[in-house]
Amino acid sequence: MELQFRNICKSFGEKRVLREVSFTAEGGKAFGLLGRNGAGKTTSIRILMNVFPADSGEVLLDGEPIRREIRTFGYLPEERGLYPKKKVLEQLTYFAELKGMARKDAIRAVDGWLERLGMADCRNKRLDTLSKGNQQKIQLITALAHDPPIIILDEPFSGLDPVNARLLKDVVREEIARGKIVLFSSHQMNYIEEFCDSIAILNGGKVVLSGNLQKIKRAYPRDRLTVRSRQCGEICALLGERCTPDGPDGLLIRLDSPDDKPEVMRTLTERFDLDELRVFEPSLNDIFVSCATEKA
Amino acid sequence: MRQFRKIFRFETVNLLTKKVYIGVTLFLIAVIVCVTFFPRVAALFADDEEEQSGTAEALLVAGVPEGGEETVRQVFSGAFPGAVVQIRNDVPNRDELDGLLTDGGISCAFLLDGWTSYTYCVENLSMYDYNTTVADEALQTAYRMNALTASGVPADEAANILSTPVTHETLAIRAVQAENYLYTYVMIFALYIVIMVYGQIIASNVAAEKSSRAMELLITSVDPLSMMFGKVLASCLAGFVQLAAVFGTALVCFRLNASEWEDLPVIGGLFNIPGGLFAYLLLFFVLGFLFYAFLYGAVGSTVSKLEDANTAVMPVTMLFVITFVVVMTGISGDAMIDGTMMRVFSFLPFSSPMAMFARIAMGQVAVWEIVLSLSLLTASVVGVGVLSAKIYRVGVLLYGARPKLRDLLKAVRNA
C-alpha cells in the first residue's frame, strides 16, 4: 500500500496554505509529517480526508486516485474532543457506527479496545469523569475501532504519562506491523525519530525536506565530531576555534574536511582520556530546526 | 442514508432522555390536567357552600317608599332565592343596624334613599360579595315595576313585561371567527414557542459540539448533510413528541370534562379544528420548524464557544419575533387578515408558516396562493438545509473571532 500526495495546492482566499506539496507514505511503515504551527500539516490531513478538496494536485493510493470510503481513515485530531457528558461505550459505539460498523460489531470492537488499553472499567462512565490521559486513550479508540487501513495521529503523545505513552507506542507498533499506513504529525521529535522511517517537513506550505530519515541524516556532511571527556579544556587549547562546547563535559569539533577525521580521532584518543568519541549525526530536532526556521 | 439514520437515532435518544426535556413535558402535562379539571373540582366545593348559606341568609331592605313594599319584596325575593327578606319603611339608626347585623340574624341590609340609590351594609365585606350587583338590578326592576303600576299597568303584567327573556340562536355561514381565532392564536403561539426553544437547543448543541471539538471528528466521519439533517429532524421529532404529549393530554382531559366547559364554547372550538385545516397546520408547522432549525444550526456552527451562541442567534430570533408580532397583529383584526402586509408575509419563507396558516384559517385564500407559498417554503427549506450543512462543514475551520457573513459565504464558496 502506498499513499501519495502529488503537487497539492490549497488557498483560503488570498492566503496560499499549501504549495505543491508532495510526499509518499508506505504501508507497514510510519510516516512523519512535521512542521511548525501553521505550516500546513492539518490542512494536508483535511485534504487527505476530504474535509475540503485541494485546488490542484491529487492524492493517490497505490497509483490510483484515492477512493475515500468511510472506513478508510482513522483519525486522532490534535484538538481532542468527544461528548463530555456521554458514557464512554455509548459514544465510542456511535463513532464506530458512523464509520460503517454494525452495532454489534461496533460494541465488540470497542470492548476489545477498552480491554487492550486497560480501561474496561470505564465502559459505563461519563467521559468528563475520566482523567486527561484516559480521555486521550478513549479518543484513540475512535481512530482505531473500525480497523482503518490508514491511521492519522496528530500529536498522539501529548498529555500522556510515560506508562500510557509506552502503551500507545505498543499499539502503534502493532498497527504498523499489520501493514497499515500510520501518519504521524507531531512536534515531539523523539517519538517521530523512534517510529518513522520517512518524514516530510513542511514550512510555509511547502515541503522543504522529505524522504527516508536515515538517508536524510546520512546526507548531512560528516564533518563534525562529538567528544565527551573531562579534559575538554586541554582539547580546546590544542584545537582552538574548531571546538564549541556541547553540554557539560562535551565538545563539538568541526573538521576542516571529512578526510581529516582519522587523523584527528587518532590524536584525540592517544593524548586524552575520552569517555566518548563519534562522528556527529544531526538529530531530527536539529534537522527540523534548521529546515523550519529557513524563510519559506 | 445509513449515517443519517444513525445520527438521527443518536440525537433523538439524546434529546428524549434529557432530564430537562422529560421534566418540562411532565410539568406542562400537569398544568394542563390541573386547568382542565379545575371547574369539576371547584364545583365540588361550590355546591357545599351553597347548601350551607342558602337557608341561613336573611336580608333587610329599609327605607322603602310607601306603597312599594310588595314590589320590593317580590323583586328581592326573586333576586336572592331562598333568602328571608324583611321590608321596612323607616331607616334604622347606626346602633340598631349594628345590633341587627351582629346578633339580629340579618346577614346584610340595603338602606334605600329613594328608588335609585341605596347604601349596602354588611358586617364583613367578603372578596366574593356580589350582592350589590344583584341588588342594583333588583332595585332597577322594582323602580320600573313601580313606575309601570303607577301609570295603570297591573302589577302581574308589569312583572311579566319586565321579566320576559329574549332568546337567540347563532347561524355562522362560514367559520366561527371566535373559534378560528382561538386555535389560530394557540397554534401560532405554539409554533413560536417550539421554534424559539428548539432553535436555541439546536444552536447550542452544534456550538457545544464545536467547542468540545467533537465536530473535528464528526466532520471527518460523516457527510455534513447527513449530520445537519439528522440533528434538525431529531429535534423536530422531539418537539412534536412534546407537543403531541401536551395537546393529547389536553384533548383527553377536555373530553373527560367537556360538560364542565359547556359555558365556554370557544374552548371546545379549540379541539374542533377541521381536518383539512389541521393538515395545513401540520405541513406549515413542520416546514416552518425546519426552516428556522436549519438557520439556528448554521449559526451555531459559526461560534467557537457555547457562551457566544446566544448572541449569535439574535438576528434569526429578531427576524422570527418580528414575524410573530406582524402575524399576531394581522389576526387580531378582520380587515388586516388579508391586508397587504399579511399577503406579503404569507409568501416570504421566513414568515409564511405563520402568516399563510393564519390566512387559511381566518381569511380568504385562493388555492394557487397556498400552493405557491408552500412551494416557496419547501424550496427554501431544502436550500437553507444544504447551505447550513455547508456552513457546518466550514464552521470547523472557523475558530476564534466569529466570522462576518461575507467571510462566511466566501469560505462556503471556497470549501
Side-chain angles (χ1 to χ4, degrees), chain B residues 154-188:
Chain B
D156 291 353
E157 205 172 311
N160 278 341
I161 291 170
L162 288 173
S163 61
T164 304
V166 176
T167 58
H168 76 275
E169 275 175 19
T170 308
L171 174 65
I173 302 299
R174 281 174 57 82
V176 185
Q177 187 96 50
E179 287 181 9
N180 281 9
Y181 175 75
L182 189 73
Y183 60 62
T184 310
Y185 184 94
V186 168
M187 289 308 152
I188 287 176

PDB file of all heavy atoms in Angstrom, chain B residues 154-188:
ATOM      1  N   PRO B 154    -101.346  46.658  35.543  1.00  0.00           N
ATOM      2  CA  PRO B 154    -101.470  45.790  36.713  1.00  0.00           C
ATOM      3  C   PRO B 154    -100.107  45.189  37.093  1.00  0.00           C
ATOM      4  O   PRO B 154     -99.262  44.978  36.220  1.00  0.00           O
ATOM      5  CB  PRO B 154    -102.422  44.677  36.242  1.00  0.00           C
ATOM      6  CG  PRO B 154    -103.080  45.209  35.024  1.00  0.00           C
ATOM      7  CD  PRO B 154    -102.181  46.216  34.429  1.00  0.00           C
ATOM      8  N   ALA B 155     -99.963  44.964  38.418  1.00  0.00           N
ATOM      9  CA  ALA B 155     -98.660  44.510  38.924  1.00  0.00           C
ATOM     10  C   ALA B 155     -98.173  43.232  38.245  1.00  0.00           C
ATOM     11  O   ALA B 155     -97.001  43.126  37.864  1.00  0.00           O
ATOM     12  CB  ALA B 155     -98.739  44.283  40.437  1.00  0.00           C
ATOM     13  N   ASP B 156     -99.069  42.255  38.055  1.00  0.00           N
ATOM     14  CA  ASP B 156     -98.659  40.991  37.435  1.00  0.00           C
ATOM     15  C   ASP B 156     -98.128  41.203  36.034  1.00  0.00           C
ATOM     16  O   ASP B 156     -97.094  40.662  35.635  1.00  0.00           O
ATOM     17  CB  ASP B 156     -99.858  40.027  37.345  1.00  0.00           C
ATOM     18  CG  ASP B 156    -100.247  39.557  38.725  1.00  0.00           C
ATOM     19  OD1 ASP B 156     -99.485  39.889  39.669  1.00  0.00           O
ATOM     20  OD2 ASP B 156    -101.273  38.862  38.837  1.00  0.00           O
ATOM     21  N   GLU B 157     -98.889  42.027  35.319  1.00  0.00           N
ATOM     22  CA  GLU B 157     -98.500  42.268  33.922  1.00  0.00           C
ATOM     23  C   GLU B 157     -97.143  42.991  33.859  1.00  0.00           C
ATOM     24  O   GLU B 157     -96.290  42.676  33.035  1.00  0.00           O
ATOM     25  CB  GLU B 157     -99.570  43.101  33.235  1.00  0.00           C
ATOM     26  CG  GLU B 157     -99.585  42.891  31.729  1.00  0.00           C
ATOM     27  CD  GLU B 157    -100.789  43.572  31.105  1.00  0.00           C
ATOM     28  OE1 GLU B 157    -101.911  43.371  31.629  1.00  0.00           O
ATOM     29  OE2 GLU B 157    -100.588  44.294  30.127  1.00  0.00           O
ATOM     30  N   ALA B 158     -97.011  43.961  34.787  1.00  0.00           N
ATOM     31  CA  ALA B 158     -95.739  44.699  34.834  1.00  0.00           C
ATOM     32  C   ALA B 158     -94.583  43.731  35.090  1.00  0.00           C
ATOM     33  O   ALA B 158     -93.535  43.823  34.446  1.00  0.00           O
ATOM     34  CB  ALA B 158     -95.790  45.754  35.923  1.00  0.00           C
ATOM     35  N   ALA B 159     -94.814  42.795  36.030  1.00  0.00           N
ATOM     36  CA  ALA B 159     -93.752  41.815  36.328  1.00  0.00           C
ATOM     37  C   ALA B 159     -93.426  40.976  35.105  1.00  0.00           C
ATOM     38  O   ALA B 159     -92.264  40.730  34.787  1.00  0.00           O
ATOM     39  CB  ALA B 159     -94.177  40.911  37.480  1.00  0.00           C
ATOM     40  N   ASN B 160     -94.459  40.561  34.391  1.00  0.00           N
ATOM     41  CA  ASN B 160     -94.242  39.769  33.171  1.00  0.00           C
ATOM     42  C   ASN B 160     -93.443  40.529  32.135  1.00  0.00           C
ATOM     43  O   ASN B 160     -92.519  40.005  31.515  1.00  0.00           O
ATOM     44  CB  ASN B 160     -95.583  39.359  32.558  1.00  0.00           C
ATOM     45  CG  ASN B 160     -96.127  38.138  33.264  1.00  0.00           C
ATOM     46  OD1 ASN B 160     -95.369  37.424  33.920  1.00  0.00           O
ATOM     47  ND2 ASN B 160     -97.425  37.906  33.150  1.00  0.00           N
ATOM     48  N   ILE B 161     -93.873  41.792  31.918  1.00  0.00           N
ATOM     49  CA  ILE B 161     -93.182  42.612  30.903  1.00  0.00           C
ATOM     50  C   ILE B 161     -91.690  42.687  31.224  1.00  0.00           C
ATOM     51  O   ILE B 161     -90.831  42.508  30.367  1.00  0.00           O
ATOM     52  CB  ILE B 161     -93.794  44.043  30.853  1.00  0.00           C
ATOM     53  CG1 ILE B 161     -95.203  43.987  30.277  1.00  0.00           C
ATOM     54  CG2 ILE B 161     -92.896  44.986  30.041  1.00  0.00           C
ATOM     55  CD1 ILE B 161     -95.972  45.278  30.400  1.00  0.00           C
ATOM     56  N   LEU B 162     -91.431  42.942  32.519  1.00  0.00           N
ATOM     57  CA  LEU B 162     -90.026  43.159  32.883  1.00  0.00           C
ATOM     58  C   LEU B 162     -89.196  41.876  32.893  1.00  0.00           C
ATOM     59  O   LEU B 162     -87.977  41.911  32.750  1.00  0.00           O
ATOM     60  CB  LEU B 162     -89.940  43.838  34.250  1.00  0.00           C
ATOM     61  CG  LEU B 162     -90.372  45.294  34.233  1.00  0.00           C
ATOM     62  CD1 LEU B 162     -90.433  45.849  35.646  1.00  0.00           C
ATOM     63  CD2 LEU B 162     -89.403  46.140  33.399  1.00  0.00           C
ATOM     64  N   SER B 163     -89.866  40.749  33.081  1.00  0.00           N
ATOM     65  CA  SER B 163     -89.056  39.521  33.193  1.00  0.00           C
ATOM     66  C   SER B 163     -89.083  38.668  31.929  1.00  0.00           C
ATOM     67  O   SER B 163     -88.529  37.581  31.914  1.00  0.00           O
ATOM     68  CB  SER B 163     -89.520  38.688  34.392  1.00  0.00           C
ATOM     69  OG  SER B 163     -90.874  38.325  34.180  1.00  0.00           O
ATOM     70  N   THR B 164     -89.708  39.141  30.865  1.00  0.00           N
ATOM     71  CA  THR B 164     -89.730  38.343  29.640  1.00  0.00           C
ATOM     72  C   THR B 164     -88.316  38.197  29.085  1.00  0.00           C
ATOM     73  O   THR B 164     -87.651  39.202  28.810  1.00  0.00           O
ATOM     74  CB  THR B 164     -90.622  39.001  28.570  1.00  0.00           C
ATOM     75  OG1 THR B 164     -91.907  39.168  29.140  1.00  0.00           O
ATOM     76  CG2 THR B 164     -90.700  38.141  27.321  1.00  0.00           C
ATOM     77  N   PRO B 165     -87.835  36.962  28.960  1.00  0.00           N
ATOM     78  CA  PRO B 165     -86.468  36.802  28.453  1.00  0.00           C
ATOM     79  C   PRO B 165     -86.412  36.912  26.929  1.00  0.00           C
ATOM     80  O   PRO B 165     -87.407  36.661  26.254  1.00  0.00           O
ATOM     81  CB  PRO B 165     -86.095  35.394  28.901  1.00  0.00           C
ATOM     82  CG  PRO B 165     -87.391  34.668  28.975  1.00  0.00           C
ATOM     83  CD  PRO B 165     -88.485  35.673  29.246  1.00  0.00           C
ATOM     84  N   VAL B 166     -85.264  37.267  26.424  1.00  0.00           N
ATOM     85  CA  VAL B 166     -85.017  37.289  24.975  1.00  0.00           C
ATOM     86  C   VAL B 166     -84.136  36.077  24.662  1.00  0.00           C
ATOM     87  O   VAL B 166     -83.141  35.838  25.335  1.00  0.00           O
ATOM     88  CB  VAL B 166     -84.282  38.584  24.564  1.00  0.00           C
ATOM     89  CG1 VAL B 166     -83.935  38.560  23.080  1.00  0.00           C
ATOM     90  CG2 VAL B 166     -85.129  39.795  24.905  1.00  0.00           C
ATOM     91  N   THR B 167     -84.521  35.261  23.682  1.00  0.00           N
ATOM     92  CA  THR B 167     -83.658  34.132  23.328  1.00  0.00           C
ATOM     93  C   THR B 167     -83.050  34.384  21.952  1.00  0.00           C
ATOM     94  O   THR B 167     -83.573  35.170  21.158  1.00  0.00           O
ATOM     95  CB  THR B 167     -84.449  32.815  23.269  1.00  0.00           C
ATOM     96  OG1 THR B 167     -85.484  32.992  22.309  1.00  0.00           O
ATOM     97  CG2 THR B 167     -85.042  32.450  24.605  1.00  0.00           C
ATOM     98  N   HIS B 168     -81.921  33.719  21.688  1.00  0.00           N
ATOM     99  CA  HIS B 168     -81.311  33.880  20.360  1.00  0.00           C
ATOM    100  C   HIS B 168     -80.589  32.600  19.941  1.00  0.00           C
ATOM    101  O   HIS B 168     -80.214  31.779  20.782  1.00  0.00           O
ATOM    102  CB  HIS B 168     -80.311  35.050  20.363  1.00  0.00           C
ATOM    103  CG  HIS B 168     -79.021  34.741  21.029  1.00  0.00           C
ATOM    104  ND1 HIS B 168     -78.847  34.862  22.394  1.00  0.00           N
ATOM    105  CD2 HIS B 168     -77.844  34.294  20.521  1.00  0.00           C
ATOM    106  CE1 HIS B 168     -77.616  34.506  22.696  1.00  0.00           C
ATOM    107  NE2 HIS B 168     -76.978  34.150  21.586  1.00  0.00           N
ATOM    108  N   GLU B 169     -80.422  32.443  18.651  1.00  0.00           N
ATOM    109  CA  GLU B 169     -79.598  31.365  18.120  1.00  0.00           C
ATOM    110  C   GLU B 169     -78.591  31.964  17.158  1.00  0.00           C
ATOM    111  O   GLU B 169     -78.823  33.037  16.605  1.00  0.00           O
ATOM    112  CB  GLU B 169     -80.476  30.355  17.374  1.00  0.00           C
ATOM    113  CG  GLU B 169     -81.073  29.330  18.301  1.00  0.00           C
ATOM    114  CD  GLU B 169     -82.037  28.413  17.589  1.00  0.00           C
ATOM    115  OE1 GLU B 169     -81.958  28.344  16.349  1.00  0.00           O
ATOM    116  OE2 GLU B 169     -82.853  27.791  18.269  1.00  0.00           O
ATOM    117  N   THR B 170     -77.426  31.271  16.938  1.00  0.00           N
ATOM    118  CA  THR B 170     -76.402  31.805  16.037  1.00  0.00           C
ATOM    119  C   THR B 170     -76.299  30.896  14.819  1.00  0.00           C
ATOM    120  O   THR B 170     -76.289  29.675  14.956  1.00  0.00           O
ATOM    121  CB  THR B 170     -75.028  31.824  16.743  1.00  0.00           C
ATOM    122  OG1 THR B 170     -75.204  32.489  17.987  1.00  0.00           O
ATOM    123  CG2 THR B 170     -73.985  32.532  15.906  1.00  0.00           C
ATOM    124  N   LEU B 171     -76.287  31.510  13.663  1.00  0.00           N
ATOM    125  CA  LEU B 171     -76.057  30.727  12.457  1.00  0.00           C
ATOM    126  C   LEU B 171     -74.862  31.348  11.740  1.00  0.00           C
ATOM    127  O   LEU B 171     -74.953  32.464  11.217  1.00  0.00           O
ATOM    128  CB  LEU B 171     -77.313  30.762  11.564  1.00  0.00           C
ATOM    129  CG  LEU B 171     -77.132  30.082  10.208  1.00  0.00           C
ATOM    130  CD1 LEU B 171     -76.900  28.588  10.380  1.00  0.00           C
ATOM    131  CD2 LEU B 171     -78.328  30.334   9.322  1.00  0.00           C
ATOM    132  N   ALA B 172     -73.689  30.636  11.767  1.00  0.00           N
ATOM    133  CA  ALA B 172     -72.497  31.154  11.086  1.00  0.00           C
ATOM    134  C   ALA B 172     -72.431  30.519   9.700  1.00  0.00           C
ATOM    135  O   ALA B 172     -72.421  29.300   9.580  1.00  0.00           O
ATOM    136  CB  ALA B 172     -71.257  30.810  11.878  1.00  0.00           C
ATOM    137  N   ILE B 173     -72.465  31.350   8.671  1.00  0.00           N
ATOM    138  CA  ILE B 173     -72.454  30.814   7.311  1.00  0.00           C
ATOM    139  C   ILE B 173     -71.086  30.220   6.992  1.00  0.00           C
ATOM    140  O   ILE B 173     -70.955  29.135   6.484  1.00  0.00           O
ATOM    141  CB  ILE B 173     -72.798  31.923   6.289  1.00  0.00           C
ATOM    142  CG1 ILE B 173     -74.161  32.522   6.613  1.00  0.00           C
ATOM    143  CG2 ILE B 173     -72.764  31.375   4.868  1.00  0.00           C
ATOM    144  CD1 ILE B 173     -75.298  31.530   6.547  1.00  0.00           C
ATOM    145  N   ARG B 174     -70.019  30.995   7.317  1.00  0.00           N
ATOM    146  CA  ARG B 174     -68.673  30.428   7.151  1.00  0.00           C
ATOM    147  C   ARG B 174     -68.153  29.965   8.513  1.00  0.00           C
ATOM    148  O   ARG B 174     -68.926  29.438   9.300  1.00  0.00           O
ATOM    149  CB  ARG B 174     -67.750  31.480   6.536  1.00  0.00           C
ATOM    150  CG  ARG B 174     -67.940  31.610   5.019  1.00  0.00           C
ATOM    151  CD  ARG B 174     -67.112  32.750   4.470  1.00  0.00           C
ATOM    152  NE  ARG B 174     -65.697  32.577   4.797  1.00  0.00           N
ATOM    153  CZ  ARG B 174     -64.854  31.812   4.113  1.00  0.00           C
ATOM    154  NH1 ARG B 174     -65.282  31.160   3.054  1.00  0.00           N
ATOM    155  NH2 ARG B 174     -63.590  31.735   4.457  1.00  0.00           N
ATOM    156  N   ALA B 175     -66.888  30.182   8.787  1.00  0.00           N
ATOM    157  CA  ALA B 175     -66.343  29.679  10.057  1.00  0.00           C
ATOM    158  C   ALA B 175     -66.746  30.583  11.216  1.00  0.00           C
ATOM    159  O   ALA B 175     -67.160  31.723  11.013  1.00  0.00           O
ATOM    160  CB  ALA B 175     -64.837  29.635   9.949  1.00  0.00           C
ATOM    161  N   VAL B 176     -66.661  30.032  12.385  1.00  0.00           N
ATOM    162  CA  VAL B 176     -66.927  30.825  13.572  1.00  0.00           C
ATOM    163  C   VAL B 176     -65.629  31.540  13.915  1.00  0.00           C
ATOM    164  O   VAL B 176     -64.663  30.935  14.361  1.00  0.00           O
ATOM    165  CB  VAL B 176     -67.375  29.924  14.734  1.00  0.00           C
ATOM    166  CG1 VAL B 176     -67.768  30.778  15.923  1.00  0.00           C
ATOM    167  CG2 VAL B 176     -68.524  29.045  14.301  1.00  0.00           C
ATOM    168  N   GLN B 177     -65.623  32.844  13.695  1.00  0.00           N
ATOM    169  CA  GLN B 177     -64.386  33.611  13.829  1.00  0.00           C
ATOM    170  C   GLN B 177     -63.744  33.441  15.213  1.00  0.00           C
ATOM    171  O   GLN B 177     -62.542  33.248  15.318  1.00  0.00           O
ATOM    172  CB  GLN B 177     -64.695  35.091  13.578  1.00  0.00           C
ATOM    173  CG  GLN B 177     -63.470  35.967  13.530  1.00  0.00           C
ATOM    174  CD  GLN B 177     -62.997  36.186  12.116  1.00  0.00           C
ATOM    175  OE1 GLN B 177     -63.779  36.546  11.261  1.00  0.00           O
ATOM    176  NE2 GLN B 177     -61.738  35.949  11.864  1.00  0.00           N
ATOM    177  N   ALA B 178     -64.574  33.461  16.233  1.00  0.00           N
ATOM    178  CA  ALA B 178     -64.017  33.395  17.583  1.00  0.00           C
ATOM    179  C   ALA B 178     -63.253  32.088  17.792  1.00  0.00           C
ATOM    180  O   ALA B 178     -62.145  32.078  18.321  1.00  0.00           O
ATOM    181  CB  ALA B 178     -65.120  33.521  18.608  1.00  0.00           C
ATOM    182  N   GLU B 179     -63.870  30.973  17.332  1.00  0.00           N
ATOM    183  CA  GLU B 179     -63.200  29.680  17.497  1.00  0.00           C
ATOM    184  C   GLU B 179     -61.943  29.623  16.643  1.00  0.00           C
ATOM    185  O   GLU B 179     -60.885  29.215  17.083  1.00  0.00           O
ATOM    186  CB  GLU B 179     -64.145  28.540  17.106  1.00  0.00           C
ATOM    187  CG  GLU B 179     -65.224  28.319  18.137  1.00  0.00           C
ATOM    188  CD  GLU B 179     -66.147  27.174  17.772  1.00  0.00           C
ATOM    189  OE1 GLU B 179     -65.825  26.450  16.806  1.00  0.00           O
ATOM    190  OE2 GLU B 179     -67.169  27.017  18.447  1.00  0.00           O
ATOM    191  N   ASN B 180     -62.075  30.058  15.368  1.00  0.00           N
ATOM    192  CA  ASN B 180     -60.910  30.078  14.479  1.00  0.00           C
ATOM    193  C   ASN B 180     -59.797  30.910  15.066  1.00  0.00           C
ATOM    194  O   ASN B 180     -58.635  30.547  15.025  1.00  0.00           O
ATOM    195  CB  ASN B 180     -61.275  30.689  13.129  1.00  0.00           C
ATOM    196  CG  ASN B 180     -61.984  29.678  12.276  1.00  0.00           C
ATOM    197  OD1 ASN B 180     -62.333  28.614  12.764  1.00  0.00           O
ATOM    198  ND2 ASN B 180     -62.208  30.014  11.032  1.00  0.00           N
ATOM    199  N   TYR B 181     -60.189  32.064  15.614  1.00  0.00           N
ATOM    200  CA  TYR B 181     -59.194  32.963  16.164  1.00  0.00           C
ATOM    201  C   TYR B 181     -58.432  32.262  17.266  1.00  0.00           C
ATOM    202  O   TYR B 181     -57.207  32.290  17.303  1.00  0.00           O
ATOM    203  CB  TYR B 181     -59.868  34.227  16.703  1.00  0.00           C
ATOM    204  CG  TYR B 181     -58.905  35.147  17.397  1.00  0.00           C
ATOM    205  CD1 TYR B 181     -58.006  35.915  16.651  1.00  0.00           C
ATOM    206  CD2 TYR B 181     -58.854  35.219  18.775  1.00  0.00           C
ATOM    207  CE1 TYR B 181     -57.093  36.732  17.269  1.00  0.00           C
ATOM    208  CE2 TYR B 181     -57.936  36.037  19.405  1.00  0.00           C
ATOM    209  CZ  TYR B 181     -57.070  36.797  18.650  1.00  0.00           C
ATOM    210  OH  TYR B 181     -56.151  37.595  19.273  1.00  0.00           O
ATOM    211  N   LEU B 182     -59.195  31.575  18.115  1.00  0.00           N
ATOM    212  CA  LEU B 182     -58.544  30.951  19.262  1.00  0.00           C
ATOM    213  C   LEU B 182     -57.527  29.895  18.825  1.00  0.00           C
ATOM    214  O   LEU B 182     -56.379  29.905  19.248  1.00  0.00           O
ATOM    215  CB  LEU B 182     -59.560  30.335  20.211  1.00  0.00           C
ATOM    216  CG  LEU B 182     -58.889  29.886  21.500  1.00  0.00           C
ATOM    217  CD1 LEU B 182     -58.513  31.076  22.364  1.00  0.00           C
ATOM    218  CD2 LEU B 182     -59.756  28.925  22.281  1.00  0.00           C
ATOM    219  N   TYR B 183     -57.945  28.974  17.935  1.00  0.00           N
ATOM    220  CA  TYR B 183     -56.954  27.950  17.622  1.00  0.00           C
ATOM    221  C   TYR B 183     -55.846  28.443  16.719  1.00  0.00           C
ATOM    222  O   TYR B 183     -54.719  27.974  16.798  1.00  0.00           O
ATOM    223  CB  TYR B 183     -57.561  26.612  17.166  1.00  0.00           C
ATOM    224  CG  TYR B 183     -58.420  26.584  15.945  1.00  0.00           C
ATOM    225  CD1 TYR B 183     -57.932  26.926  14.697  1.00  0.00           C
ATOM    226  CD2 TYR B 183     -59.729  26.151  16.039  1.00  0.00           C
ATOM    227  CE1 TYR B 183     -58.731  26.864  13.584  1.00  0.00           C
ATOM    228  CE2 TYR B 183     -60.541  26.084  14.923  1.00  0.00           C
ATOM    229  CZ  TYR B 183     -60.045  26.441  13.700  1.00  0.00           C
ATOM    230  OH  TYR B 183     -60.838  26.379  12.611  1.00  0.00           O
ATOM    231  N   THR B 184     -56.150  29.449  15.894  1.00  0.00           N
ATOM    232  CA  THR B 184     -55.066  30.059  15.116  1.00  0.00           C
ATOM    233  C   THR B 184     -54.058  30.680  16.076  1.00  0.00           C
ATOM    234  O   THR B 184     -52.844  30.483  15.961  1.00  0.00           O
ATOM    235  CB  THR B 184     -55.618  31.141  14.169  1.00  0.00           C
ATOM    236  OG1 THR B 184     -56.701  30.591  13.453  1.00  0.00           O
ATOM    237  CG2 THR B 184     -54.565  31.617  13.206  1.00  0.00           C
ATOM    238  N   TYR B 185     -54.605  31.416  17.030  1.00  0.00           N
ATOM    239  CA  TYR B 185     -53.754  32.069  18.024  1.00  0.00           C
ATOM    240  C   TYR B 185     -52.909  31.040  18.774  1.00  0.00           C
ATOM    241  O   TYR B 185     -51.690  31.165  18.882  1.00  0.00           O
ATOM    242  CB  TYR B 185     -54.653  32.835  19.008  1.00  0.00           C
ATOM    243  CG  TYR B 185     -53.915  33.637  20.031  1.00  0.00           C
ATOM    244  CD1 TYR B 185     -53.631  34.986  19.816  1.00  0.00           C
ATOM    245  CD2 TYR B 185     -53.503  33.065  21.226  1.00  0.00           C
ATOM    246  CE1 TYR B 185     -52.953  35.726  20.757  1.00  0.00           C
ATOM    247  CE2 TYR B 185     -52.818  33.798  22.173  1.00  0.00           C
ATOM    248  CZ  TYR B 185     -52.546  35.128  21.938  1.00  0.00           C
ATOM    249  OH  TYR B 185     -51.865  35.844  22.869  1.00  0.00           O
ATOM    250  N   VAL B 186     -53.585  29.993  19.246  1.00  0.00           N
ATOM    251  CA  VAL B 186     -52.883  28.975  20.046  1.00  0.00           C
ATOM    252  C   VAL B 186     -51.809  28.284  19.214  1.00  0.00           C
ATOM    253  O   VAL B 186     -50.675  28.085  19.656  1.00  0.00           O
ATOM    254  CB  VAL B 186     -53.884  27.941  20.620  1.00  0.00           C
ATOM    255  CG1 VAL B 186     -53.148  26.736  21.190  1.00  0.00           C
ATOM    256  CG2 VAL B 186     -54.740  28.580  21.684  1.00  0.00           C
ATOM    257  N   MET B 187     -52.158  27.944  17.970  1.00  0.00           N
ATOM    258  CA  MET B 187     -51.197  27.212  17.141  1.00  0.00           C
ATOM    259  C   MET B 187     -50.010  28.094  16.755  1.00  0.00           C
ATOM    260  O   MET B 187     -48.867  27.634  16.743  1.00  0.00           O
ATOM    261  CB  MET B 187     -51.874  26.679  15.873  1.00  0.00           C
ATOM    262  CG  MET B 187     -52.830  25.554  16.158  1.00  0.00           C
ATOM    263  SD  MET B 187     -52.039  24.262  17.130  1.00  0.00           S
ATOM    264  CE  MET B 187     -53.434  23.590  17.991  1.00  0.00           C
ATOM    265  N   ILE B 188     -50.270  29.352  16.445  1.00  0.00           N
ATOM    266  CA  ILE B 188     -49.165  30.241  16.088  1.00  0.00           C
ATOM    267  C   ILE B 188     -48.270  30.450  17.306  1.00  0.00           C
ATOM    268  O   ILE B 188     -47.045  30.446  17.215  1.00  0.00           O
ATOM    269  CB  ILE B 188     -49.702  31.578  15.537  1.00  0.00           C
ATOM    270  CG1 ILE B 188     -50.246  31.332  14.137  1.00  0.00           C
ATOM    271  CG2 ILE B 188     -48.617  32.642  15.505  1.00  0.00           C
ATOM    272  CD1 ILE B 188     -50.898  32.509  13.500  1.00  0.00           C
TER     273      ILE B 188
END
